[in-house]
Amino acid sequence: SLPTGTSPNDDSSPSLTTDTSPNNDSSATLPASAFNNSSSTTLPVKTTGQLTYTTTAKLRPTEIPVINIKLDLQLRFNDTFKLDLGVPKSDYYITTEKHYNELLSNVYKNLTGFTEIIIHNFREGSIVVNFTVRVSTQFSESRFSDELKNVQELLLNLPQVNETSVANAFNQSL
């Protein structure tokens, strides 16, 4: 697998290395020096969407790094697609983008370190919303997994959400 990002590195600060394999299994590996012991620690992450993360600060011994997580997802809503959703400058597109941004932000704010939702576009098929969730947090696999389960439940309660699209988005991440 290829490195997708590393933290700044000098002789006094250990670095975090992130690797992504072709089957969407990702891991973050901390060197032994970050934990004052003799082995590295690997933190696995699974997702069906695209997950990328990079460190944002130098590590001090025993500190957990801050990880920037980017989840590229899509959800389908059982609503009528209007042609104006293909025109990003139209009033209808802008209003609909704001609606889904608020709707999704209210769900994803339950992830520790949630920073923003970015709506990329809408596609036909009812309404398919392509979006990115950005999170900046000290990574804990068990906490993040628990929070994602909570988010999945909240998404299933959204009005007109297609349950299959929620299941597909979370198929491998839980």
Side-chain angles (χ1 to χ4, degrees):
S1 47
L2 300 171
T4 57
T6 59
S7 68
N9 190 14
D10 62 32
D11 293 336
S12 64
S13 297
S15 66
L16 171 78
T17 302
T18 58
D19 293 314
T20 303
S21 62
N23 64 359
N24 288 336
D25 289 343
S26 301
S27 65
T29 303
L30 292 171
S33 58
F35 296 99
N36 292 328
N37 65 24
S38 62
S39 64
S40 297
T41 300
T42 299
L43 309 170
V45 178
K46 293 185 179 195
T47 182
T48 57
Q50 179 183 354
L51 171 69
T52 57
Y53 47 89
T54 56
T55 58
T56 57
K58 290 182 179 179
L59 302 175
R60 306 250 190 282
T62 70
E63 285 185 5
I64 298 173
V66 173
I67 305 289
N68 293 319
I69 300 170
K70 177 184 162 197
L71 295 167
D72 290 319
L73 302 168
Q74 69 177 11
L75 289 176
R76 182 181 310 271
F77 290 85
N78 300 322
D79 200 358
T80 305
F81 182 88
K82 296 183 180 174
L83 292 179
D84 280 352
L85 287 178
V87 183
K89 293 185 180 186
S90 73
D91 289 340
Y92 185 72
Y93 183 101
I94 293 167
T95 301
T96 304
E97 178 183 40
K98 182 179 178 185
H99 166 75
Y100 283 109
N101 194 306
E102 289 173 2
L103 190 71
L104 294 168
S105 290
N106 283 331
V107 170
Y108 282 96
K109 71 181 180 186
N110 291 287
L111 290 176
T112 301
F114 167 79
T115 55
E116 68 180 332
I117 293 283
I118 301 168
I119 304 289
H120 298 291
N121 58 38
F122 302 98
R123 286 185 313 140
E124 206 167 345
S126 295
I127 296 179
V128 177
V129 182
N130 294 306
F131 63 100
T132 296
V133 179
R134 291 186 186 259
V135 179
S136 183
T137 187
Q138 289 185 315
F139 187 81
S140 163
E141 179 187 1
S142 61
R143 185 192 73 223
F144 194 70
S145 180
D146 289 345
E147 289 178 1
L148 281 176
K149 288 177 186 174
N150 183 41
V151 163
Q152 183 180 23
E153 290 176 26
L154 293 170
L155 286 171
L156 288 169
N157 291 317
L158 290 178
Q160 299 182 315
V161 72
N162 179 290
E163 291 180 15
T164 302
S165 73
V166 173
N168 289 341
F170 286 86
N171 187 30
Q172 300 245 345
S173 63
L174 301 177

